[in-house]
């Protein structure tokens, strides 16, 4: 069969060795990623398993001889799982800006978060504990005490699982525990068991808090820009204005601790139990 002189010349077939070399070169970054990230992920999983094992050993040694010991051991395990998810989501939200701006290293941020997250929960977490304990649903409205125990365990597990899913998907997640307590209470005893005014206040805070926080942050950023960033000498202006901003932050924190935290500490010292852990359930 003759070929027309005007027909295009056939394309040369690529060498199989060249295609194989190209595929191998494309796979090198993936191999490097697996070799570097694989051990790190495995190490984090191993560390998580060691943490949960330590929780199991400690709770078993403390409560293994009591009745319903499996509940007293299982609840801290779920709490440990919840704590790790809180670290991966809530703490990451708090320290992310500081680490991202290179104001501090990740290790420093983790140490600060570990100290002050625990300190905040112990000193000033009593009101939140009371709301979760008997503010959303009243234990007296559930006839069987074991049903109330299961409601709280299911709420804790549901909040932990949802937080794990939210962390995997990427967005921050807050206010999940109170929603899970409400849902578990409705499943156990119907909608009448829920304290709807309290839930209404909680839901309204979900709208008010981010709006108020955004307005305050925008206002402070505007003052910082006007007083420092837009000046001819920002360093000199920062030395003059930034101490006032730090003083405002210290005043707000000190006022909160004085109004909420110290009251919880004094009350817990009188009752002989940790802050916010005072029992108000009926005998």
């Amino acid at each position: 069969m003759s070929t027309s002189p005007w027909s295009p010349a056939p394309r040369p077939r690529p060498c199989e060795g060249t295609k194989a070399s190209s595929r191998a070169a494309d796979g090198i970054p993936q191999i490097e990623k697996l070799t570097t990230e694989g051990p790190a992920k495995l190490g984090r999983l191993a560390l998580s398993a060691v943490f949960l094992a330590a929780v199991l050993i400690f709770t078993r040694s403390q409560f293994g001889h009591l009745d319903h010991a499996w509940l007293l051991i299982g609840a801290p395990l779920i709490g440990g799982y919840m704590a790790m998810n809180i670290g991966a989501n809530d703490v990451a939200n708090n320290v992310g800006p500081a680490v991202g701006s290179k104001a501090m290293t990740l290790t420093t941020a983790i140490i600060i978060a570990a100290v002050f997250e625990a300190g905040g929960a112990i000193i000033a977490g009593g009101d939140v504990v009371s709301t979760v304990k008997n503010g959303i649903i009243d234990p007296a409205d559930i006839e069987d005490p074991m049903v109330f125990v299961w409601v709280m365990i299911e709420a804790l597990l549901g909040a932990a699982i949802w937080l794990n899913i939210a962390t995997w998907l990427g967005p921050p997640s807050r206010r999940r525990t109170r929603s899970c307590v409400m849902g578990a209470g409705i499943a156990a005893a119907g909608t009448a068991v829920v304290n709807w005014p309290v839930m209404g206040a909680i839901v309204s805070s979900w709208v008010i808090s981010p709006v108020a926080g955004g307005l305050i942050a925008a206002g402070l950023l505007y003052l910082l820009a006007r007083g420092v960033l837009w000046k001819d000498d920002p360093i000199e202006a920062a030395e003059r204005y930034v101490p006032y901003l730090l003083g405002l932050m210290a005043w707000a924190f000190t006022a909160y601790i004085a109004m909420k935290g110290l009251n919880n500490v004094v009350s817990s010292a009188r009752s002989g139990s940790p802050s916010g852990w005072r029992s108000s359930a009926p005998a």
Side-chain angles (χ1 to χ4, degrees):
M1 182 177 181
S2 60
T3 304
S4 171
W6 304 105
S7 60
R11 295 181 180 179
R13 298 181 63 184
C15 178
E16 293 295 332
T18 303
K19 293 171 65 177
S21 299
S22 177
R23 288 196 298 267
D26 293 340
I28 289 176
Q30 298 180 1
I31 295 175
E32 292 178 349
K33 185 177 180 179
L34 289 174
T35 55
T36 55
E37 293 185 359
K41 291 182 178 179
L42 186 61
R44 289 194 290 267
L45 288 175
L47 186 60
S48 301
V50 170
F51 171 71
L52 292 178
V55 172
L56 175 62
I57 294 172
F58 176 79
T59 53
R60 185 176 177 83
S61 65
Q62 296 293 317
F63 309 116
H65 62 284
L66 300 177
D67 295 335
H68 303 294
W70 57 277
L71 281 175
L72 298 175
I73 295 172
L77 280 176
I78 300 174
Y81 171 55
M82 178 73 165
M84 289 189 292
N85 285 289
I86 290 175
N89 195 292
D90 289 3
V91 176
N93 296 332
N94 297 333
V95 304
V99 176
S101 63
K102 300 187 183 302
M104 64 179 67
T105 63
L106 180 60
T107 302
T108 302
I110 291 175
I111 294 173
I112 292 175
V115 173
F116 287 96
E117 287 275 338
I122 294 172
I123 296 173
D127 291 340
V128 176
V129 172
S130 298
T131 300
V132 173
K133 181 175 62 177
N134 54 18
I136 299 173
I137 59 175
D138 191 346
D141 294 336
I142 299 178
E143 296 181 359
D144 189 352
M146 285 302 300
V147 173
F148 181 74
V149 171
W150 279 112
V151 165
M152 287 302 179
I153 290 179
E154 290 168 2
L156 180 61
L157 181 59
I161 292 175
W162 165 244
L163 185 56
N164 198 162
I165 294 173
T167 304
W168 177 62
L169 294 176
S173 175
R174 294 182 181 272
R175 283 97 181 179
R176 63 260 153 190
T177 303
R178 281 159 281 192
S179 301
C180 291
V181 170
M182 182 191 70
I186 291 174
T191 57
V193 77
V194 179
N195 189 341
W196 291 110
V198 172
M199 282 305 303
I202 291 172
V203 172
S204 64
S205 71
W206 298 348
V207 179
I208 296 173
S209 295
V211 173
L215 291 176
I216 294 173
L220 291 177
L221 180 59
Y222 177 76
L223 292 177
L224 187 63
R226 291 274 298 183
V228 177
L229 301 179
W230 295 345
K231 296 295 183 180
D232 295 333
D233 190 351
I235 296 178
E236 181 182 356
E239 292 176 349
R240 185 169 62 253
Y241 284 101
V242 170
Y244 291 101
L245 296 178
L246 295 177
L248 177 62
M249 179 188 68
W251 170 81
F253 180 75
T254 303
Y256 177 79
I257 291 297
M259 295 174 62
K260 294 290 186 180
L262 293 181
N263 183 37
N264 290 330
V265 171
V266 171
S267 299
S268 62
R270 290 175 178 175
S271 63
S273 61
S275 176
W277 294 2
R278 300 179 302 277
S279 175
S280 62

